[in-house]
Amino acid sequence: MGNCSPSPRRRRQTDPGSPPLHRAASAPPGTAGGGGTPVSTYALARSPSVSAVDAEDGNVVRVYGSDGCPVSWRLRVSLLYKAVAPVHFTPSEAAPLGRPVLRLSAADQEVSGPAEELLRLVDARFEGKPRVAPPERPRPASTSAAAAEEVAELVRLQHRSAERHLEGVAAKVAEMVKKGKKMGKGRNYVEGAEVRRLGKWYGDAMEVMLEHARMEETLIFPDLQRAAHPGVCDKVNEQHGRHLPMMNGIKEDIKTLLTLELGSPLFHEVLVNLSVRLSGCSKRWQDHTKEHFKEEENELLPRLEEVRRMQREEGKVSDKSSSAWASEAIGTMEVTHSKLFPFFMTGLLPQEAVQYLDLVCRCIKNTRHLVSMLRSLAERLEDANPSIIHNNPTKLYEHLLVKSP
């Protein structure tokens, strides 16, 4: 998941009198040192970035490491999803810290090691969900099977995020309608900022969904048609075509709200029509979307191994890595995996979110880009209440949206 070692030009020389790093046998599993290499506290103290105060607060989990190291940022984000203790990150480029160092409490040793070992330590110390270490997976029957499972997992998790954001938008509109009915037409029962936030929420969800659809249409469906049988993707392609006008109609309704006098009879009428589009009687937009996702997951995703096998037989697959296909899928969704990454992740439950983190950390080879994604997510999660992170993803997004400038 990227090299965390500082470059030779950035290494700082340690004091000639400094003792070497202490490398002792790992502690028993389940203890603070189990699975990692203990690191001398003295070595950390010698780092110019680490203050003496860092050793005093016993309840804070501390991560020391390079600001450009994806493992450091993954640790930080995983601990935020655990939401069991305050997390403090101390950037350090000192020579002893070629890898990130984790300290679970003031009573524990500092330990260093590969990402998976450190994440297992976090799970052992802070039991309960989400489990942040990658799960033990059965060995796939083939590279094609492994590649297909990664892409299928990627698609399923993207579906869950889209569903929850649509539910959140619909719930917000319904809440506004209810407030309007309670206060009466002609009363200013909503603020302009609230309508603008609603527009941003739906606009971001629409952008992610459109990128997701384009990814499927360019990367998955064409070869799926050839590997299975002609017409297997006709229905979902037709649904993609039907959904775009529906999505644009909702977007236009929200734009119209922004031009009307807040709380006016016409404003209320447009708001009610918008609520009907999203969650009214008839066939709801949410139901259309969920039905579409269900069809893809039940009928198309199980065929992906057959597709990958065909691609290999045709010589289309040059990379032997099982993650190459998922990497390509992520790469085609540039906006989702850059400026909208925190938004996308707030549509996932904590366990789903750490699964998606594991996928992107395995599939994105550009270390700088990966660090940028993880940093943006960490900064947003740090603004959130831990109970919101655990209980309601869309409430988390709404909470962060209100706090945005």
Side-chain angles (χ1 to χ4, degrees):
M1 194 178 72
N3 181 11
C4 294
S5 300
S7 63
R9 288 178 299 171
R10 300 181 69 182
R11 290 186 184 273
R12 298 186 179 93
Q13 295 298 320
T14 55
D15 189 315
S18 302
L21 283 177
H22 175 61
R23 296 185 175 273
S26 297
T31 66
T37 303
V39 175
S40 164
T41 308
Y42 183 81
L44 281 177
R46 300 294 296 178
S47 169
S49 303
V50 181
S51 69
V53 179
D54 285 344
E56 293 178 2
D57 190 341
N59 296 320
V60 176
V61 178
R62 303 193 180 278
V63 179
Y64 304 91
S66 167
D67 195 52
C69 171
V71 179
S72 299
W73 284 101
R74 183 177 179 182
L75 272 173
R76 186 173 175 181
V77 169
S78 297
L79 286 160
L80 288 168
Y81 273 115
K82 275 287 191 184
V84 288
V87 179
H88 179 71
F89 175 67
T90 302
S92 177
E93 302 289 352
L97 301 179
R99 279 181 170 176
V101 173
L102 175 67
R103 190 179 190 187
L104 294 171
S105 75
D108 290 302
Q109 289 179 302
E110 291 84 1
V111 292
S112 182
E116 291 190 8
E117 288 186 5
L118 296 180
L119 291 171
R120 281 196 290 269
L121 288 178
V122 171
D123 282 337
R125 168 56 64 86
F126 304 113
E127 296 182 353
K129 294 182 179 180
R131 305 289 293 175
V132 296
E136 294 291 334
R137 301 174 186 271
R139 187 176 181 84
S142 65
T143 307
S144 295
E149 178 51 39
E150 279 196 340
V151 172
E153 184 178 13
L154 187 84
V155 170
R156 283 192 294 266
L157 291 172
Q158 289 176 1
H159 287 171
R160 299 293 83 75
S161 177
E163 286 174 353
R164 292 200 186 95
H165 277 301
L166 288 179
E167 289 169 359
V169 170
K172 186 63 182 176
V173 172
E175 177 188 311
M176 292 164 69
V177 170
K178 185 177 179 181
K179 190 188 299 184
K181 289 179 178 178
K182 184 177 180 180
M183 296 187 67
K185 296 178 183 179
R187 300 281 299 278
N188 188 355
Y189 57 86
V190 64
E191 296 181 0
E194 195 173 3
V195 181
R196 287 192 294 273
R197 288 195 294 266
L198 178 70
K200 176 170 172 52
W201 192 349
Y202 182 76
D204 288 350
M206 184 174 174
E207 191 160 5
V208 169
M209 290 177 69
L210 289 175
E211 271 205 328
H212 172 82
R214 284 194 294 269
M215 178 274 290
E216 291 180 327
E217 290 166 3
T218 58
L219 194 64
I220 296 177
F221 292 170
D223 282 343
L224 196 53
Q225 294 266 41
R226 294 191 308 110
H229 58 80
V232 71
C233 296
D234 287 354
K235 185 175 181 180
V236 291
N237 273 321
E238 182 187 344
Q239 289 170 341
H240 280 187
R242 284 204 314 267
H243 288 169
L244 184 57
M246 294 169 68
M247 294 167 74
N248 284 330
I250 293 169
K251 186 176 182 180
E252 289 306 311
D253 278 353
I254 296 174
K255 281 185 177 180
T256 300
L257 285 175
L258 289 166
T259 67
L260 300 174
E261 180 185 351
L262 296 173
S264 67
L266 183 55
F267 177 93
H268 187 76
E269 180 182 340
V270 174
L271 186 64
V272 169
N273 289 337
L274 175 60
S275 182
V276 170
R277 277 185 188 268
L278 287 165
S279 58
C281 303
S282 71
K283 189 69 174 177
R284 302 189 305 170
W285 164 227
Q286 288 183 72
D287 288 343
H288 276 293
T289 305
K290 288 183 178 180
E291 185 179 290
H292 170 72
F293 289 162
K294 186 176 180 180
E295 287 175 3
E296 287 187 356
E297 292 172 23
N298 291 344
E299 298 175 20
L300 301 184
L301 297 188
R303 300 175 184 264
L304 291 182
E305 183 179 352
E306 185 181 351
V307 173
R308 197 58 171 175
R309 194 181 304 116
M310 180 196 72
Q311 292 172 341
R312 289 187 179 280
E313 290 170 355
E314 293 177 347
K316 285 188 173 182
V317 181
S318 56
D319 191 338
K320 295 182 179 179
S321 166
S322 63
S323 296
W325 202 10
S327 298
E328 192 176 357
I330 289 172
T332 61
M333 298 177 64
E334 293 182 7
V335 178
T336 301
H337 296 98
S338 54
K339 71 173 186 176
L340 290 184
F341 186 61
F343 165 82
F344 166 79
M345 293 292 283
T346 56
L348 297 176
L349 294 169
Q351 192 62 64
E352 296 167 339
V354 294
Q355 283 177 250
Y356 204 85
L357 280 178
D358 185 47
L359 273 173
V360 298
C361 288
R362 281 187 278 125
C363 294
I364 294 179
K365 307 304 179 187
N366 184 323
T367 298
R368 182 175 296 178
H369 177 50
L370 180 57
V371 165
S372 175
M373 289 171 59
L374 297 175
R375 178 188 286 116
S376 66
L377 178 59
E379 289 170 351
R380 301 305 281 150
L381 291 175
E382 284 170 346
D383 287 337
N385 183 312
S387 65
I388 300 178
I389 294 176
H390 274 258
N391 298 327
N392 195 323
T394 52
K395 282 294 183 185
L396 167 62
Y397 179 68
E398 188 178 353
H399 169 77
L400 296 176
L401 200 58
V402 170
K403 295 187 72 171
S404 296

